[in-house]
């Protein structure tokens, strides 16, 4: 895998971004723009499927949207007024072109294309049963189980078949589906993964984040609600809610790291929430220091919040080069270490002799934190304190986020003292889970826990994890956690 940003190497990665357009000439060109704005959600592969009223057309490619979907020839080969697209990291299923979405199949009712953000947590179990009944899978993607469930459903209409399929899957999904009858956008009953709806003239747009609406000039209409299916057929837009009412649990990490800071999630500016988390962190874990330095780029809003709350000056103590080619930096410990300095360098004049507070959004393995602390010390910092704008990441995500296994999560195997030693900091503190909820509060009122999925911090998973529970993997960390606590 190419390392695009050495500092991102130690983050959780959102797995996918999806974007759909119904009712606009040259829909595929808009989808390419929308996917470009969602590139931060997945950089390994991209795909677009269009429908011209008679035929479906698909192009998929490994790598970025730019370079693969910006030529007239490519977009011209994706005709039609309806199109959807997908950017991804590898989710379940290896990184191969056959797993790149949208996935497409010919069903009895005609073509069926689907773009999925999330992860079906009982996909393996459903897949085994489908294969036993004769289904032949083309990919290793969890998303393909939905297609086979639709294909084999006993219901008559395509919509009923689709609903029947969704009722058999667990986990997280935001989906954009294209059929000859129209487009369907939906979210799982808990709304774990995001999906918003916009308008561009008469065209209806769906996107993982509002920033993609901004980029194509569309107006934000509303979020697709948890458990809602929005069905677009020409100019007709219908909404149905086939699932029973349940309290939503959207992913809290969207505010911490995944979403772009210029997006609006759940009526809240991501940038403002990140600043509020930083301010909360300053209240909970103050420190005498000379300068607040963000870890670029994701730590910047929280660092501004910490600096404003604490009154300590904010400075850009780490400078990022924008001219490092992505192919230049290869994996391999020695070269990767050099890569950190190539892309990010300490602004020595601001650091020498200073007591430094570094602000980052999260610690996953701790490897990057260690390198940054070392970078500060080599630049002459008198003290280096690390403050993290999320609680310790102790648990893996099973809802479509690329998380290392628990054995590699620093906070799953270390207490605060040993984490501090591991990264060689003078002190380390995380915002509390209650503090994180407080920062998400509107008009001074913190949402009641658990109003979000916060499982990677708390282990409180809002759905069954059938495949995980079925797997032979024994949770050897339960005992370890007890020892650490
Ligand atoms: S486990 Fe964490 S990253 Fe995954 S959906 Fe829940 S809050 Fe988001």
């Amino acid at each position: 895998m190419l390392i695009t940003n050495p500092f991102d190497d130690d983050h959780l990665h959102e797995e996918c971004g999806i974007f759909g357009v119904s009712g606009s000439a040259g829909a595929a060109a808009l989808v390419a723009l929308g996917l470009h704005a969602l590139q931060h959600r997945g950089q390994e592969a991209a795909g677009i499927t269009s429908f011209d009223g008679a035929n479906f057309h698909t192009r998929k490619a490994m790598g970025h949207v730019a370079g693969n979907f910006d030529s007239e020839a490519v977009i011209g080969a994706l005709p039609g007024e309806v199109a959807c697209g997908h950017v991804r990291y590898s989710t379940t299923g290896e990184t191969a072109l056959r797993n790149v979405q949208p996935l497409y199949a010919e069903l009895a009712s005609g073509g069926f294309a689907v773009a999925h953000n999330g992860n079906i947590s009982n996909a393996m179990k459903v897949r085994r049963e489908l294969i036993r009944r004769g289904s032949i899978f083309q990919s290793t993607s969890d998303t393909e189980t939905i297609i086979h469930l639709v294909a084999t459903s006993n219901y008559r209409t395509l919509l009923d078949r689709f609903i029947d399929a969704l009722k058999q899957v667990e986990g997280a999904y935001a989906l954009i589906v294209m059929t000859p009858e129209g487009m369907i956008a939906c979210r799982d009953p808990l709304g774990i993964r995001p999906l918003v709806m916009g308008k561009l003239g008469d065209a209806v747009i769906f996107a993982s984040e509002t920033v993609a609406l901004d980029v194509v000039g569309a107006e934000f209409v509303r979020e697709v609600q948890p458990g809602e299916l929005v069905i677009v057929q020409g100019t007709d837009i219908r909404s149905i809610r086939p699932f029973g009412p349940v309290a939503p649990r959207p992913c809290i990490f969207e505010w911490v790291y995944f979403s772009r800071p210029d997006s609006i999630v759940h009526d809240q500016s991501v940038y403002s929430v990140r600043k509020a988390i930083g301010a909360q962190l300053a209240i909970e874990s103050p420190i005498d220091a000379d300068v607040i330095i963000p870890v670029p780029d994701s730590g910047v809003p929280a660092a501004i919040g910490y600096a404003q709350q604490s009154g300590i000056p904010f400075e850009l103590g780490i400078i990022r080069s924008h001219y490092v080619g992505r192919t230049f930096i290869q994996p391999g410990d020695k070269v990767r270490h050099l890569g950190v300095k190539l892309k990010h360098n300490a602004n020595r004049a601001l650091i020498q002799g200073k007591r430094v507070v570094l602000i980052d959004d999260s610690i996953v393995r701790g490897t990057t934190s260690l390198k940054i602390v070392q970078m500060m010390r080599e630049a002459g910092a008198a003290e280096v304190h690390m403050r993290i704008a999320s609680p310790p990441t102790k648990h893996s995500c099973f809802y479509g986020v690329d998380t290392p296994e628990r054995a590699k999560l620093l906070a799953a195997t270390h207490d605060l003292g040993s984490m501090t030693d591991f990264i060689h900091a003078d002190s380390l503190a995380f915002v509390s889970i209650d503090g994180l909820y407080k920062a998400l509060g509107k008009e001074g009122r913190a949402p009641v826990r658990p109003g979000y999925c916060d499982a990677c911090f708390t282990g409180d998973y809002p759905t069954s994890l059938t495949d995980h529970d079925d797997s032979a993997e024994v949770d050897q960390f339960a005992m370890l956690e007890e020892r650490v606590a």
Side-chain angles (χ1 to χ4, degrees):
M1 185 177 79
L2 299 174
I3 305 300
T4 55
N5 178 344
F7 280 20
D8 281 349
D9 191 27
D10 194 30
H11 282 104
L12 300 187
H13 290 290
E14 173 60 71
E15 303 273 11
C16 307
I18 57 177
F19 192 90
V21 175
S22 177
S24 175
L30 289 176
V31 172
L33 278 177
L35 292 182
H36 204 282
L38 298 173
Q39 189 76 82
H40 59 288
R41 300 184 76 87
Q43 298 173 12
E44 286 193 1
I48 298 178
T49 296
S50 71
F51 180 61
D52 63 9
N55 296 302
F56 288 82
H57 308 267
T58 297
R59 178 181 165 91
K60 300 175 182 183
M62 304 304 294
H64 284 190
V65 179
N68 282 307
F69 290 95
D70 45 10
S71 78
E72 270 181 43
V74 168
I75 296 299
L78 295 165
E81 297 192 353
V82 185
C84 72
H86 190 270
V87 287
R88 64 171 265 156
Y89 280 104
S90 54
T91 54
T92 53
E94 79 276 16
T95 304
L97 213 49
R98 67 196 173 115
N99 281 333
V100 176
Q101 299 191 21
L103 295 185
Y104 177 77
E106 288 285 344
L107 307 184
S109 52
F112 186 95
V114 57
H116 172 205
N117 176 23
N119 186 54
I120 306 299
S121 57
N122 65 340
M124 291 310 296
K125 184 174 184 188
V126 173
R127 183 185 174 103
R128 278 196 298 273
E129 178 57 22
L130 284 162
I131 289 173
R132 198 186 61 74
R133 286 173 11 210
S135 292
I136 299 168
F137 277 73
Q138 300 291 321
S139 75
T140 54
S141 161
D142 59 313
T143 311
E144 196 181 345
T145 55
I146 295 173
I147 295 177
H148 285 278
L149 287 171
V150 173
T152 55
S153 170
N154 291 324
Y155 283 85
R156 198 174 58 77
T157 69
L158 183 70
L159 182 59
D160 286 341
R161 285 166 167 257
F162 183 51
I163 293 168
D164 183 39
L166 296 184
K167 286 185 173 175
Q168 295 176 66
V169 297
E170 298 167 355
Y173 53 83
L175 300 169
I176 299 175
V177 167
M178 284 164 53
T179 75
E181 293 170 22
M183 179 171 276
I184 306 171
C186 68
R187 286 172 83 189
D188 65 75
L190 297 167
I192 296 174
R193 300 259 70 89
L195 192 61
V196 297
M197 181 174 163
K199 281 283 252 179
L200 181 63
D202 290 335
V204 180
I205 315 273
F206 297 103
S208 295
E209 285 184 44
T210 61
V211 67
L213 301 180
D214 296 343
V215 163
V216 300
E219 173 196 345
F220 170 71
V221 175
R222 64 179 178 85
E223 287 192 21
V224 176
Q225 294 301 312
E228 180 185 21
L229 275 69
V230 179
I231 302 146
V232 186
Q233 291 174 310
T235 53
D236 183 44
I237 304 171
R238 282 189 298 141
S239 164
I240 58 171
R241 290 164 185 268
F243 311 106
V246 280
R249 299 280 296 274
C251 169
I252 207 165
F253 228 104
E254 290 289 342
W255 285 276
V256 170
Y257 176 68
F258 299 145
S259 292
R260 258 177 53 163
D262 44 343
S263 276
I264 307 289
V265 180
H266 217 45
D267 294 332
Q268 299 211 78
S269 149
V270 172
Y271 179 82
S272 301
V273 168
R274 286 184 190 158
K275 268 179 67 181
I277 299 171
Q280 181 65 26
L281 187 55
I283 292 166
E284 291 182 3
S285 300
I287 187 88
D288 262 347
D290 303 311
V291 63
I292 307 295
I293 293 177
V295 176
D297 292 321
S298 52
V300 172
I304 293 171
Y306 194 102
Q308 288 178 350
Q309 178 66 38
S310 64
I312 302 170
F314 168 96
E315 298 285 5
L316 294 176
I318 301 170
I319 301 299
R320 175 177 167 188
S321 165
H322 294 275
Y323 305 104
V324 179
R326 67 188 295 268
T327 55
F328 192 90
I329 300 162
Q330 300 291 338
D333 280 350
K334 196 171 171 201
V335 180
R336 187 180 293 184
H337 179 70
L338 292 174
V340 170
K341 288 193 169 178
L342 193 65
K343 187 127 190 175
H344 297 89
N345 194 33
N347 195 353
R348 187 176 287 269
L350 292 173
I351 292 163
Q352 197 139 29
K354 301 271 177 61
R355 295 168 299 166
V356 167
V357 183
L358 288 168
I359 310 283
D360 204 354
D361 60 273
S362 56
I363 292 183
V364 180
R365 297 178 186 82
T367 46
T368 297
S369 304
L370 170 62
K371 287 174 197 160
I372 301 165
V373 171
Q374 275 173 346
M375 187 187 283
M376 293 297 105
R377 294 207 188 279
E378 284 165 15
E383 294 173 18
V384 185
H385 304 273
M386 182 70 102
R387 294 291 179 271
I388 304 296
S390 64
T393 304
K394 292 184 174 182
H395 303 269
S396 298
C397 177
F398 300 98
Y399 300 128
V401 171
D402 179 25
T403 333
E405 59 195 80
R406 286 194 75 199
K408 294 189 175 145
L409 295 174
L410 189 68
T413 52
H414 293 65
D415 62 13
L416 188 65
S418 50
M419 277 194 274
T420 312
D421 292 343
F422 181 89
I423 65 169
H424 293 179
D426 292 293
S427 77
L428 168 68
F430 296 79
V431 78
S432 68
I433 186 73
D434 286 330
L436 178 58
Y437 270 75
K438 201 168 171 188
L440 278 158
K442 292 179 191 160
E443 291 154 11
R445 277 201 301 272
V448 177
R449 283 180 61 194
Y452 300 95
C453 176
D454 51 26
C456 45
F457 307 130
T458 62
D460 174 17
Y461 294 95
T463 72
S464 319
L465 301 175
T466 301
D467 290 343
H468 177 70
D469 295 343
D470 283 356
S471 75
E473 190 184 339
V474 178
D475 189 0
Q476 72 270 37
F477 289 98
M479 280 166 53
L480 185 60
E481 261 190 351
E482 269 172 33
R483 282 211 309 275
V484 167

